[in-house]
Amino acid sequence: MADKYAIPARLDDPELIGFWTLDEFIAMVLPFIWGVLTQHILIGIILGFGCWWSLRKAKAGRAASWLLHLAYWYLPGGFVGLRATPPSFLRLMAG
């Protein structure tokens, strides 16, 4: 008799498109699309591979949110979306 309930082995795995996570796929495809639109396909392929490789090395076993946290602390204030620290009564809405 087969088990009535199936428990997944890994609950926290990210969604994959082929072999890549969504952020890696976007980092790889956008330079390629730019290369196709500007008729520089080879440059687009090289840039797409370079963006994918550098994002993969930047993540290096960490979650993708690590890069967002890094951007929040080291990039200018308006770059990530929050222009100032939200008031303390909105701390649950801030994330």
Side-chain angles (χ1 to χ4, degrees), residues 19-89:
F19 298 109
W20 307 281
T21 60
L22 182 62
D23 55 344
E24 291 172 352
F25 184 76
I26 290 172
M28 183 175 53
V29 168
L30 285 180
F32 175 72
I33 291 173
W34 170 82
V36 169
L37 292 176
T38 60
Q39 298 179 358
H40 294 95
I41 297 174
L42 187 59
I43 294 173
I45 291 172
I46 293 169
L47 283 176
F49 178 76
C51 289
W52 167 76
W53 185 79
S54 61
L55 181 63
R56 185 111 180 175
K57 290 295 180 183
K59 285 179 19 180
R62 301 181 194 121
S65 61
W66 178 79
L67 292 173
L68 184 61
H69 293 285
L70 191 71
Y72 176 78
W73 287 108
Y74 292 108
L75 292 176
F79 192 81
V80 181
L82 291 176
R83 299 203 185 280
T85 305
S88 62
F89 66 90

